[in-house]
Amino acid sequence: MIEVKNLSKSYGNINAVRNISFTVNDCEILGLLGANGAGKTTTMNILAGYLAGTGGEVLIDGRDISIDPIGAKKNVGYLPEQPPLYQDMTVDEYLNFVYGLKHCKMPKKSHLGEIKTLTGIEDVRSRVIRNLSKGYKQRTGLAGALVGNPNTLILDEPTVGLDPKQMIEMRSLIKKLGRAHTVILSSHILTEVQAVCGRIAIIDRGKLIAADTEDNLSKDLSAGYDLTLRIEGAKKDVLPILRQINNVSDVQTVRETEKNVFEYELKAKSDIRREVFRRMSARNMPILYMKNSELSLEEIFLKLTAGSFYGKGGDAE
Amino acid sequence: MTAVFKRELASYFTTPLGYVFVAVFCGFSGLFLYMFCLSAGQSDMSVVFSMMFFIMLTAIPVLTMRTMADEKRQKTDQLLLTSPVSLFGIVAGKFLAAFAVFFCGVLVMLVYAVALSIAVTNAGGAFGWAVFWGNFTGMLLMGGVFISVGIFISNFTENQMIAAIGSIGANFALCLFDLISGYVGNETLKNALNSLSVYYKYGEFTVGLFSLKNIVFFLSLTAIFLFLTARSIKRRQQS
């Protein structure tokens, strides 16, 4: 479990991280989303113990990383954006080194063997890291982070530079790891966060502006009662009926989806679903599709980072 | 610390650096032995040790230039600093590895001494082992100081060349305190500079003076620079 309380980090006059608070529960994957320079990497570096925050607390499984750094780091596996690999070592030598560095007590051969199989680097274990492809280097970095079976994994943009096939494989591996580990994953690729993470934290200019599931963020940020409808019947007959409904502020025809079936978007100030159903039913105009207008993750991100701060995710400023 | 030590030591010998250092050390010490002992018909190796001081001054920075600088350049410091190892453990592991390579070079002096002692004994004379051990200890202690200074300087840059040149400069500065003191009028400052001169203290070893005070001085200086290295890493984490 990771607990971050009022974390701040300044570089001179620049506030890279501003009073961030969030929690990541056991066996949960949290996606840290933000534009380049938003403060994701700085936050991750502090969580991993590479940097010290200028204020606030970071607890890894209850241990404060600034008070008991060695104890806290025992429970952390960190994969930075550029994997920290010694180019002159073979994969096996590197993993053996990390095993010794982490004072790992697990049976060496079987533990490292399991990690190599899990990350798919068994075939390249005797190769010098310098000669590996970017994908294999990334996997080797992840394997290093997994040595010692830490409860917490911190992965900073783990799919950067990978080809689409490698990206899919890496995402599926991270999802698998999320079943047994607490994972924080940072990315600026929205689809990746969407595909892998159970919960999303959005950082903008060092501030945490939201932390929730994608569905909840979408619900909270959507207009609330807007509807998308597909109704069978002539457009000229349907539109006046919809406009007559109380609290409907706007009706737009989007397109004809089938013969004599039109899609409409309604903007409403209250829940009008039942009233729409009753009126259409009375005129014998079947509703073939009705859906609340929800925002995509891209829309959520753009809306939140446009300057209208959300204030739900723990930002105290 | 053990993992860092093993990795560092291996890296010296998976690259030419370790071999080149030992070869340079052996080559120059052999040359000086020929010039000042074999050609001159002398069995006292003190001059060889004195001359080797200047080789150490320039060769050790080459040995240590990559210790911290290369970790920063390759971003592997992220692995070290996020692992459950103390900062002093990391620095000490690197120091011991560099010292082990240096020790490999210094061992050749012992080989020369054994060869000379056999030759001297066969000729009916006695080899001055006490003077030799004084010199040998002095060289090890001096090497420890230069290595710790090199690691300290290497911590401030990602560029190995800058680290090497900076370390050579720092080593010279440490050794030239007694020369600078000649130009200082203030007696207190003059004494302070003299007491900091490592060259003067190394000189005492080369004439066979085995002083506990000097041993403590060299060991303290080594420990101080290692401590400062760990502190500067900590400070960088907090800045």
Side-chain angles (χ1 to χ4, degrees), chain A residues 9 11 45 48-52 70 73-74 78 80 82 84-89 94 97 100-101 103, chain B residues 1 3-4 7 11 14-15 71 73-86 236-239:
Chain A
K9 176 74 181 174
Y11 297 108
N45 277 333
Y50 180 61
L51 294 177
I70 293 179
K73 286 173 188 176
K74 276 181 186 164
Y78 182 38
Q82 185 185 325
L85 304 171
Y86 291 98
Q87 305 293 327
D88 56 335
M89 283 178 150
Y94 176 74
F97 166 63
L101 193 67
H103 306 294
Chain B
M1 186 177 88
V4 176
R7 138 88 206 150
S11 77
T14 49
T15 59
E71 299 280 1
R73 189 183 62 79
Q74 290 198 69
K75 310 279 182 204
T76 43
D77 60 334
Q78 290 190 315
L79 173 68
L80 298 180
L81 299 179
T82 57
S83 297
V85 190
S86 68
R236 198 168 59 238
Q237 284 184 305
Q238 290 170 334
S239 65

Side-chain angles (χ1 to χ4, degrees), chain B:
Chain B
M1 186 177 88
T2 317
V4 176
F5 169 74
K6 283 183 189 168
R7 138 88 206 150
E8 281 293 307
L9 191 60
S11 77
Y12 281 119
F13 294 105
T14 49
T15 59
L17 188 60
Y19 298 104
V20 169
F21 177 83
V22 175
V24 165
F25 208 91
C26 292
F28 276 101
S29 57
L31 179 70
F32 295 145
L33 183 82
Y34 176 77
M35 286 166 67
F36 300 112
C37 292
L38 302 182
S39 295
Q42 289 277 336
S43 66
D44 183 2
M45 288 176 69
S46 295
V47 185
V48 179
F49 278 99
S50 292
M51 294 305 290
M52 282 309 289
F53 177 87
F54 296 100
I55 303 302
M56 282 160 56
L57 195 115
T58 46
I60 287 177
V62 176
L63 189 70
T64 57
M65 64 184 182
R66 46 166 288 283
T67 43
M68 303 305 289
D70 207 39
E71 299 280 1
K72 284 163 80 176
R73 189 183 62 79
Q74 290 198 69
K75 310 279 182 204
T76 43
D77 60 334
Q78 290 190 315
L79 173 68
L80 298 180
L81 299 179
T82 57
S83 297
V85 190
S86 68
L87 291 178
F88 194 80
I90 295 168
V91 176
K94 286 178 172 289
F95 170 81
L96 290 175
F99 192 82
V101 178
F102 168 68
F103 189 70
C104 290
V106 175
L107 272 182
V108 77
M109 305 298 275
L110 190 61
V111 175
Y112 296 152
V114 171
L116 274 179
S117 89
I118 293 168
V120 169
T121 311
N122 288 342
F127 183 73
W129 277 107
V131 176
F132 170 79
W133 287 120
N135 277 308
F136 192 78
T137 311
M139 180 174 261
L140 290 178
L141 291 169
M142 191 69 246
V145 172
F146 285 163
I147 291 169
S148 64
V149 170
I151 293 173
F152 176 66
I153 301 287
S154 174
N155 189 39
F156 291 102
T157 176
E158 290 182 17
N159 187 312
Q160 297 185 26
M161 284 312 294
I162 292 173
I165 294 165
S167 303
I168 292 170
N171 289 347
F172 263 111
L174 274 178
C175 299
L176 293 178
F177 275 135
D178 55 342
L179 286 183
I180 297 166
S181 71
Y183 297 94
V184 176
N186 186 307
E187 272 304 310
T188 316
L189 186 60
K190 195 172 189 163
N191 290 338
L193 286 170
N194 275 335
S195 64
L196 286 172
S197 171
V198 291
Y199 184 61
Y200 178 76
K201 289 182 170 59
Y202 180 72
E204 288 189 353
F205 280 106
T206 62
V207 293
L209 289 174
F210 219 127
S211 157
L212 183 65
K213 188 181 74 181
N214 286 348
I215 293 173
V216 172
F217 173 79
F218 281 115
L219 290 178
S220 306
L221 209 55
T222 304
I224 286 168
F225 277 105
L226 295 181
F227 173 76
L228 288 176
T229 308
R231 284 300 305 167
S232 70
I233 297 171
K234 181 87 179 163
R235 195 175 164 78
R236 198 168 59 238
Q237 284 184 305
Q238 290 170 334
S239 65

Side-chain angles (χ1 to χ4, degrees), chain A residues 96-142:
Chain A
N96 281 326
F97 166 63
V98 178
Y99 181 92
L101 193 67
K102 291 188 174 181
H103 306 294
C104 190
K105 303 282 181 221
M106 301 163 91
K108 191 174 183 178
K109 201 173 173 186
S110 61
H111 178 53
L112 295 184
E114 278 168 23
I115 290 172
K116 280 182 271 187
T117 309
L118 183 69
T119 50
I121 53 172
E122 193 64 49
D123 296 343
V124 295
R125 64 195 182 93
S126 305
R127 286 180 59 187
V128 176
I129 290 171
R130 182 186 291 114
N131 301 328
L132 295 179
S133 68
K134 170 80 181 160
Y136 274 116
K137 282 182 181 170
Q138 203 76 12
R139 284 160 185 255
T140 307
L142 182 59

